Amino acid sequence: INGRCNGLKMCKVMTMVGGGLEDIPQQEECFDTFSKSNKEFDSEVFRYGYSSLVTPSSTFEYNMRTKSSTLLKVKDVPGYEPSWYKCERAFATARDGTKVPISLVYRRDCRWATERKASPLMLYGYGSYGACIDPSFDFKCISYLDRGMVYAIAHIRGGGEMGRHWYEREGKYLTKKNTFHDFIDSAEHLIAQGYTTPSQLAISGRSAGGMLMGACLNMRPDLFKCAVAGVPFVDVMTTMVDPSIPLTIVEWEEWGNPNEAKYHDYIKSYSPVDNVQKAAYPHILVTAGLNDPRVAYWEPAKWVARLREHN
């Protein structure tokens, strides 16, 4: 049986007699696991896939009688040594008391690991459409880690990691600001715990995650050193009021229809382009796609122009 517990994907085994249910135990604090093809029903072994921020994509076989897992295959990553790295799980307390999961990974010889002193940190977030950003292996992060950085994923509301309510009731429509508050509160938690400092904290997100970057930078430009916003959906109000744009009407299911006053006022209160302030913003890298069917290139271009005008 596949499910989730505290935001992590789990594979569970249920006995046919008695209906007992137990998790397949894992050794790391944060991971991504899922069932593989198991075509033979009458078997005492179960194959599942496994990955983490440290462990490349792997296939395991779990013996339901002995309750032990055997590694069958792991994807080869040339030059990579998993024993050099460590991943862990933390929980930030959001301003409304909600516990927000954070997955982290770093080298065992980095400043944070050896001295428990603040290190450069990259914090990633998305938090929209109920999408789950599971802590699986990503070779692109290794370059950060080998330079002494900590890499973290904030599993904020608007995603689906903690269940459907994490998205439907607490991360869309008129509760969308929870997404931005969770990300900011996660950043403040990491600073308070000593992982990093505002002068060492970088953030990144793409598309709706780029909107997250824009909203958080408007709310707390002092909290971050730099940001990477990939094809950011930042002109939310202008796009959502124009039904001639191909994806606008279906997107009303995510943000709300701004032709209704309650959604109009709420969207306008966080839309990044509409809330740029005169402040010292951190360094920002913004990318756009000329042929992006979801976020037109003029949205990030308009945002950059507004940022330059006010800073």
Side-chain angles (χ1 to χ4, degrees), residues 10-310:
M10 305 290 290
C11 288
K12 300 174 182 287
V13 176
M14 183 172 69
T15 56
M16 300 300 290
V17 178
L21 191 66
E22 60 184 30
D23 295 333
I24 295 179
Q26 306 298 343
Q27 300 301 312
E28 296 175 292
E29 291 187 28
C30 51
F31 51 82
D32 178 20
T33 185
F34 52 92
S35 59
K36 303 275 282 190
S37 178
N38 290 271
K39 297 183 178 180
E40 187 174 340
F41 180 79
D42 187 14
S43 173
E44 62 180 21
V45 296
F46 169 77
R47 288 191 179 184
Y48 65 93
Y50 179 90
S51 176
S52 76
L53 294 171
V54 169
T55 305
S57 179
S58 307
T59 299
F60 282 86
E61 189 170 78
Y62 180 71
N63 188 302
M64 292 177 277
R65 179 176 53 81
T66 63
K67 303 184 186 305
S68 61
S69 291
T70 302
L71 176 63
L72 302 181
K73 182 180 180 181
V74 60
K75 183 177 181 179
D76 181 46
V77 181
Y80 176 69
E81 177 48 63
S83 64
W84 294 352
Y85 307 90
K86 175 178 172 53
C87 61
E88 62 185 52
R89 191 81 158 171
F91 284 85
T93 302
R95 60 198 66 187
D96 64 357
T98 301
K99 297 295 184 181
V100 180
I102 306 173
S103 299
L104 302 106
V105 62
Y106 48 84
R107 273 186 68 125
R108 294 181 183 273
D109 60 356
C110 77
R111 185 177 173 86
W112 166 251
T114 58
E115 304 176 43
R116 282 299 186 259
K117 292 184 178 179
S119 300
L121 187 146
M122 173 65 80
L123 178 61
Y124 174 82
Y126 187 73
S128 289
Y129 304 104
C132 299
I133 309 300
D134 293 310
S136 57
F137 186 77
D138 184 355
F139 71 90
K140 298 187 295 296
C141 297
I142 305 306
S143 182
Y144 294 138
L145 308 183
D146 287 348
R147 287 166 169 78
M149 293 184 70
V150 177
Y151 182 79
I153 303 170
H155 304 284
I156 52 183
R157 282 175 283 186
E161 293 93 336
M162 298 293 283
R164 199 63 185 171
H165 73 284
W166 202 244
Y167 167 58
E168 293 284 0
R169 297 200 302 269
E170 300 185 38
K172 64 184 293 191
Y173 291 145
L174 300 178
T175 59
K176 189 60 199 173
K177 286 185 182 178
N178 285 338
T179 302
F180 317 134
H181 294 158
D182 284 0
F183 192 79
I184 290 170
D185 295 341
S186 295
E188 291 183 326
H189 173 81
L190 294 171
I191 292 168
Q193 294 300 308
Y195 286 95
T196 191
T197 63
S199 64
Q200 297 174 293
L201 177 56
I203 57 175
S204 67
R206 289 180 58 82
S207 194
M211 180 192 68
L212 171 69
M213 299 297 102
C216 291
L217 290 171
N218 285 337
M219 293 176 179
R220 288 295 306 277
D222 60 307
L223 191 58
F224 315 105
K225 178 65 174 180
C226 60
V228 180
V231 291
F233 177 43
V234 284
D235 197 7
V236 186
M237 178 60 70
T238 301
T239 298
M240 287 296 99
V241 298
D242 186 355
S244 69
I245 299 175
L247 293 178
T248 289
I249 294 178
V250 296
E251 289 289 305
W252 288 346
E253 289 298 313
E254 180 72 18
W255 320 107
N257 181 353
N259 294 304
E260 299 179 36
K262 63 178 180 179
Y263 293 121
H264 176 280
D265 295 344
Y266 192 76
I267 292 171
K268 192 171 183 179
S269 72
Y270 68 75
S271 176
V273 163
D274 297 299
N275 290 278
V276 174
Q277 56 179 305
K278 292 185 181 297
Y281 278 70
H283 304 292
I284 308 172
L285 171 64
V286 183
T287 64
L290 289 175
N291 300 302
D292 191 322
R294 296 174 180 82
V295 179
Y297 69 86
W298 56 78
E299 289 200 34
K302 181 178 178 181
W303 183 43
V304 167
R306 190 69 58 85
L307 286 166
R308 288 173 174 170
E309 177 185 347
H310 285 74

